[in-house]
Amino acid sequence: QVQLVESGGGLVQPGGSLRLSCATSGFTLDYYAIGWFRQVPGKEREGVACISNSDGSKSYAESVRGRFTVSRDNGKNTVYLQMNNLTPEDTGVYYCATDKVPTPWCDVELTHYYYWGQGAQVTVSL
């Protein structure tokens, strides 16, 4: 049974940092790309970052490039999203996701992901 569990969310002041973790089980993480997405009430879920299974190449949304870093530790079956210099616009529920089939590339297109975690709340506020 495929499972993805996010953790590490919380309340942080603007300019602060958080690291989200996505613990995976039920599949061999080595072969799968992982995407990070976020959603705020009333808005569509948007892609934030992804990391491929092959060379670990990464892709970022323009709004987070230079501030967020995605990484993976296949030995720990975990993918991370390091978020620095956070702003109130980064507030939302953050999800990690993967597809049903392994692919050597990744993107942040929602329709390319099948399995989703339950989400972790990130709130950036004074």
Side-chain angles (χ1 to χ4, degrees), residues 14 38-40 43 46 63-64 67-68 85-92 94 122-125:
R38 66 187 180 191
Q39 189 169 23
V40 296
K43 286 192 170 183
E46 64 173 350
S63 59
V64 307
R67 300 187 298 122
F68 289 14
N85 194 20
L86 286 160
T87 73
E89 288 69 35
D90 295 315
T91 294
Y94 283 69
V122 171
T123 303
V124 185
S125 179

Side-chain angles (χ1 to χ4, degrees), residues 77-89:
N77 295 317
T78 302
V79 177
Y80 304 96
L81 184 67
Q82 177 67 43
M83 306 184 294
N84 298 328
N85 194 20
L86 286 160
T87 73
E89 288 69 35

Side-chain angles (χ1 to χ4, degrees), residues 11-108:
L11 172 65
V12 63
Q13 292 186 349
S17 298
L18 281 175
R19 188 178 78 158
L20 300 180
S21 298
C22 173
T24 70
S25 61
F27 65 103
T28 304
L29 178 61
D30 306 50
Y31 301 132
Y32 289 81
I34 298 292
W36 283 97
F37 299 81
R38 66 187 180 191
Q39 189 169 23
V40 296
K43 286 192 170 183
E44 291 186 356
R45 192 169 298 187
E46 64 173 350
V48 174
C50 69
I51 185 166
S52 73
N53 73 340
S54 55
D55 60 354
S57 59
K58 306 163 187 178
S59 179
Y60 298 94
E62 185 61 35
S63 59
V64 307
R65 190 172 292 124
R67 300 187 298 122
F68 289 14
T69 303
V70 60
S71 62
R72 61 194 297 155
D73 186 337
N74 291 338
K76 293 184 178 180
N77 295 317
T78 302
V79 177
Y80 304 96
L81 184 67
Q82 177 67 43
M83 306 184 294
N84 298 328
N85 194 20
L86 286 160
T87 73
E89 288 69 35
D90 295 315
T91 294
V93 178
Y94 283 69
Y95 302 89
C96 60
T98 192
D99 204 355
K100 287 191 291 185
V101 295
T103 56
W105 43 265
C106 78
D107 59 32
V108 289

